[in-house]
Amino acid sequence: MGITELKTSDFYFDLPKELIAQDPLLDRSASRLLMVDKATGEWKHEIFKNITDYLNPGDCLVLNNTKVLPARLLGVKQDTGASVEVLLLKRQGEDVWETLVKPGKKLRPGARVSFGDGRLKAEVLEVVEEGNRLVRFFYDGIFEEVLDSLGEMPLPPYITHKLQDKNRYQTVYAKYDGSAAAPTAGLHFTKELLKEIEDKGVKLAYVTLHVGLGTFRPVKEENILEHHMHSEYYQISGQTARMINETKKNGHRVICVGTTSCRTVESAADENGMLKECCGDTEIFIYPGYQFKVMDCLITNFHLPESTLVMLVSALAGREHVLRAYEEAVKEKYRFFSFGDACFFTDDFTKKSI
């Protein structure tokens, strides 16, 4: 199949709704792990906490340390008392944010909204691309603290249960505020598991990519080449760049935790796969035919049918291998999406590393 012929429907698979995980497991690392050989498509079933057995000294694990903002605000329109919802997407200036609002018809420019009995107030400034609103906030104190007390986690639309503990939609290494969604592959790691991995001689390299809600945007075009990717901000430190470059030079593996880590390093790499300290916005769209410059293996969750994320995984392991692995996951009743189980697309898992 030529790259120009790739259709969105080529990445469809049948997913029963009951396999969409609604709640996180009590123990993050107790998730199931489907190991998939990216070259042969062969698979085996594992538990996530055993992942250390498949990592080798000298490998480098790349993790996205973005932090999810409790960006969903429920308030009332000041003049009518009507209930409204405001979802923070991107900071555009001092106290000005690009937001998604519901219902849009009630929040035209000039509309004023109150949250938490007036602890936080907002005014709609203008309507921008895709019907989003630019909103200015008014408050006393520190914005992040006000937001933390009033905001809810912006869970994906396919999760209908209320999250009891905000921290469960946050990785244990989350550091820099800015995401509208979690880099969910990282949710499986505990601090103890990360220490065990480091003690084995595996390097932990942190990058930052602030995940936008565009990550859930469906691909509407049948020809995937016509799909326009959303833009997301990323940052790579000099220390991380050196760590990844050394790993490549020494012939060891760069293993990305999640598609966001993958998109970050692939966006920032030069033609030789080398990195340097940098930041910027990326709209990189990775689909079959893409030649990876940095990433060797990928730890990721199970993604939506026909999504850009399934396309990215297919670029690494081959569409047929990925769809067969997903078929096996459905048959074995793996848990899907954000709070679901994980998949490790690797090069060889026939022997556990020593």
Side-chain angles (χ1 to χ4, degrees):
M1 182 188 294
I3 291 169
T4 52
E5 302 166 47
L6 280 176
K7 299 204 258 324
T8 301
S9 53
D10 293 330
F11 299 89
Y12 177 79
F13 60 92
D14 194 33
L15 179 68
K17 272 198 175 142
E18 63 268 21
L19 296 186
I20 299 172
Q22 292 294 325
D23 303 288
L25 296 180
L26 283 174
D27 174 3
R28 289 173 183 261
S29 62
S31 302
R32 295 163 80 189
L33 177 68
L34 186 65
M35 307 281 303
V36 182
D37 186 310
K38 61 183 188 171
T40 66
E42 183 190 353
W43 62 69
K44 84 189 246 192
H45 302 283
E46 256 294 1
I47 301 295
F48 196 87
K49 61 179 62 168
N50 295 337
I51 199 162
T52 315
D53 296 333
Y54 301 94
L55 303 174
N56 302 316
D59 284 345
C60 182
L61 214 53
V62 184
L63 305 118
N64 181 6
N65 61 10
T66 187
K67 197 171 186 183
V68 186
L69 288 164
R72 185 169 175 252
L73 290 162
L74 304 174
V76 292
K77 204 163 167 245
Q78 283 183 211
D79 56 353
T80 64
S83 295
V84 293
E85 181 179 327
V86 175
L87 188 64
L88 307 186
L89 297 179
K90 203 172 188 179
R91 194 190 290 269
Q92 298 289 21
E94 190 65 36
D95 298 327
V96 175
W97 286 76
E98 184 177 339
T99 67
L100 197 62
V101 302
K102 282 199 268 188
K105 61 180 184 293
K106 287 184 183 168
L107 293 178
R108 297 194 174 97
R112 290 174 175 268
V113 182
S114 174
F115 309 94
D117 296 325
R119 282 182 59 203
L120 181 65
K121 292 180 178 175
E123 181 185 358
V124 179
L125 302 179
E126 61 177 292
V127 180
V128 292
E129 196 183 349
E130 296 180 354
N132 295 346
R133 305 304 201 257
L134 277 190
V135 169
R136 184 183 298 283
F137 287 99
F138 305 90
Y139 53 91
D140 290 324
I142 298 166
F143 180 72
E144 283 74 15
E145 289 179 3
V146 176
L147 187 63
D148 199 46
S149 65
L150 296 179
E152 295 180 4
M153 281 298 183
L155 293 178
Y158 46 74
I159 293 178
T160 56
H161 291 191
K162 189 170 170 64
L163 186 62
Q164 300 306 315
D165 176 3
K166 279 185 190 176
N167 288 326
R168 293 312 309 273
Y169 194 57
Q170 207 80 271
T171 63
V172 297
Y173 47 82
K175 193 172 182 182
Y176 299 110
D177 281 323
S179 275
T184 54
L187 295 177
H188 304 282
F189 289 93
T190 61
K191 285 183 175 168
E192 296 75 21
L193 183 55
L194 288 170
K195 183 176 186 311
E196 188 184 301
I197 289 167
E198 262 194 308
D199 287 348
K200 189 171 182 176
V202 176
K203 291 181 280 212
L204 302 183
Y206 293 95
V207 297
T208 306
L209 180 136
H210 292 321
V211 189
L213 283 183
T215 192
F216 304 117
R217 189 182 294 155
V219 179
K220 290 179 179 162
E221 292 78 9
E222 180 55 5
N223 179 352
I224 70 168
L225 301 188
E226 292 170 11
H227 176 69
H228 177 65
M229 281 294 279
H230 54 288
S231 173
E232 293 170 318
Y233 175 81
Y234 71 88
Q235 193 165 355
I236 294 178
S237 69
Q239 181 190 8
T240 287
R242 286 190 295 276
M243 210 182 273
I244 294 172
N245 291 344
E246 275 171 29
T247 302
K248 300 293 284 183
K249 280 177 185 164
N250 294 334
H252 295 297
R253 301 181 302 172
V254 174
I255 301 166
C256 288
V257 175
T259 55
T260 61
S261 299
C262 165
R263 293 179 70 239
T264 303
V265 296
E266 293 297 323
S267 296
D270 67 17
E271 62 276 10
N272 301 312
M274 291 291 107
L275 296 168
K276 61 182 181 185
E277 182 174 349
C278 62
C279 64
D281 294 300
T282 178
E283 294 180 350
I284 191 170
F285 182 15
I286 296 174
Y287 49 82
Y290 180 85
Q291 298 298 310
F292 288 90
K293 295 175 284 189
V294 181
M295 184 176 78
D296 299 302
C297 306
L298 176 67
I299 298 164
T300 187
N301 279 19
F302 291 94
H303 304 294
L304 282 81
E306 300 184 328
S307 64
T308 59
L309 306 179
V310 168
M311 294 169 191
L312 183 153
V313 178
S314 298
L316 178 70
R319 185 180 68 96
E320 292 80 6
H321 291 166
V322 170
L323 292 180
R324 274 204 299 274
Y326 271 52
E327 225 175 88
E328 172 68 5
V330 168
K331 183 165 79 76
E332 293 298 320
K333 296 191 164 32
Y334 272 63
R335 301 162 76 249
F336 274 67
F337 305 163
S338 300
F339 289 137
D341 296 314
C343 212
F344 186 6
F345 291 93
T346 184
D347 40 13
D348 178 27
F349 57 78
T350 51
K351 288 181 183 171
K352 291 193 173 190
S353 62
I354 297 163

